[in-house]
Amino acid sequence: MIDEDAVLPVLFVGHAELPDGVRSAVEMILGPQERLATVQLGPAADPAAVSQQIGQALDEMQVDVEAGALILADLPGGSPSNAAAAVFLERRHVRLVAGLSLPMELEVLADRQGRTAADLAEVAVGAGQLGVADVSAALAQAAGGSSDSGS
């Protein structure tokens, strides 16, 4: 049975300082977050070592096997995402979503109490899709003009 008061662990994984930068932005908006960790992949990082770091971060957050944990990676098919995929293959109670963005992170972290990793993976994908907008086109349409700059 899932603990309704438990905060699901979330791990940001990505290239260089991106995971820590996204965490910093999230915590500026939402405040300090518990059970949130980051793993960064440097230019000379060994993917196997990154997989170990991901596993260690999950262990430190004491992931409940029934609820799981959510790993949010920056780039689908990138080395950090592939390292996280290797962890997923060993720990099927975690979920991995790639395409990390601030709208995605905010939605996931704002409502993760008593949720499962599968629930939050759906939230992450939906928020990631809704978080992309051509603002200039919307403003131009609202103003009754064109967003093309070739006039």
Side-chain angles (χ1 to χ4, degrees):
M1 180 159 190
I2 296 172
D3 182 355
E4 295 295 321
D5 295 324
V7 174
L8 190 86
V10 174
L11 176 64
F12 298 165
V13 180
H15 291 86
E17 291 83 26
L18 182 67
D20 285 342
V22 173
R23 180 181 185 158
S24 177
V26 162
E27 289 186 334
M28 184 181 95
I29 296 167
L30 296 179
Q33 297 293 303
E34 61 182 289
R35 299 187 87 189
L36 174 62
T38 62
V39 172
Q40 301 180 37
L41 179 116
D46 171 30
V50 175
S51 291
Q52 279 188 307
Q53 288 177 310
I54 291 168
Q56 183 178 356
L58 292 170
D59 291 344
E60 288 172 3
M61 290 190 287
Q62 300 176 349
V63 175
D64 172 38
V65 175
E66 188 174 337
L70 181 62
I71 302 172
L72 297 168
D74 63 352
L75 184 64
S79 295
S81 180
N82 292 343
V87 173
F88 165 76
L89 292 174
E90 295 175 1
R91 301 178 188 213
R92 294 296 175 104
H93 57 282
V94 302
R95 293 293 302 261
L96 170 61
V97 174
L100 179 130
S101 68
L102 190 55
M104 176 190 294
E105 309 313 330
L106 291 170
E107 286 295 321
V108 164
L109 295 175
D111 188 24
R112 59 188 170 131
Q113 190 169 339
R115 306 287 294 267
T116 66
D119 293 339
L120 284 184
E122 287 182 35
V123 169
V125 170
Q129 292 170 340
L130 291 174
V132 176
D134 184 344
V135 176
S136 59
L139 290 172
Q141 183 177 7
S146 172
S147 63
D148 292 340
S149 60
S151 307

